[in-house]
Amino acid sequence: VQLQASGGGLVQAGGSVRLSCAASGRTFSGRPMAWFRQAPGKEREFVSAITSNGGNTFYVDSVKGRFTISRDNAVNSVYLQMNSLKPEDTAVYFCASGRYWSAYEDRLSAPTNYDSWGQGTLVTVSS
C-alpha cells in the first residue's frame, strides 16, 4: 500500500483541521489504518487507529473527544478530523497501514505493526 497524506496547515487554537490519507493498492480495505504524529524534537507518537471495516476505533487519551478517525474503503481513504486543537497538537502527522488489529494498546500503537507510511503533513496550531 502506498499512502499520501494531505490537509495540514496553520490553524489557531480551538480550530479544526481534517487530514486525509489516500491509499493505492488492493489491500487497503483489508488492513487497519492509523495516524501517528511527531512533534519537533520528539519521538513519533501513536494518535488513533481504525479497523479494516471501520467498526472499531482507538484513540490515545490526549485526543479523545477531540479527534475522530474514519475511513471510506470505496475511495481508499482514511481521515482524521481534529477539533478543539491545542498548540501541543502541533506536529507532522503520518498515516500508516497496519498488519493487524489488537485489543492491546501497546501492540496497536507500536510503529512496528505498520509497514506502509505516508510522507506526513504538518499541522501547526498557534496560540
Side-chain angles (χ1 to χ4, degrees):
V1 178
Q2 293 183 330
L3 305 172
Q4 179 76 33
S6 62
L10 176 63
V11 61
Q12 289 188 333
S16 298
V17 167
R18 188 190 194 214
L19 304 183
S20 299
C21 177
S24 61
R26 295 179 297 171
T27 59
F28 172 82
S29 61
R31 311 194 80 182
M33 296 293 296
W35 287 94
F36 286 74
R37 66 186 179 185
Q38 187 166 17
K42 295 187 177 181
E43 294 186 353
R44 191 168 296 190
E45 172 191 31
F46 172 82
V47 175
S48 179
I50 187 167
T51 51
S52 58
N53 65 0
N56 286 319
T57 58
F58 186 88
Y59 302 91
V60 293
D61 287 345
S62 59
V63 308
K64 280 181 182 176
R66 301 189 298 121
F67 290 11
T68 303
I69 189 171
S70 62
R71 67 189 295 164
D72 185 342
N73 287 341
V75 294
N76 282 6
S77 293
V78 63
Y79 308 99
L80 187 67
Q81 177 67 44
M82 305 189 294
N83 299 329
S84 302
L85 284 163
K86 305 175 181 180
E88 52 264 42
D89 294 317
T90 294
V92 177
Y93 285 74
F94 300 88
C95 56
S97 175
R99 295 186 176 93
Y100 59 85
W101 182 263
S102 175
Y104 299 97
E105 181 178 355
D106 59 342
R107 298 178 186 176
L108 186 64
S109 64
T112 53
N113 183 33
Y114 301 87
D115 55 7
S116 294
W117 294 82
Q119 86 288 359
T121 184
L122 175 64
V123 175
T124 303
V125 183
S126 63
S127 57

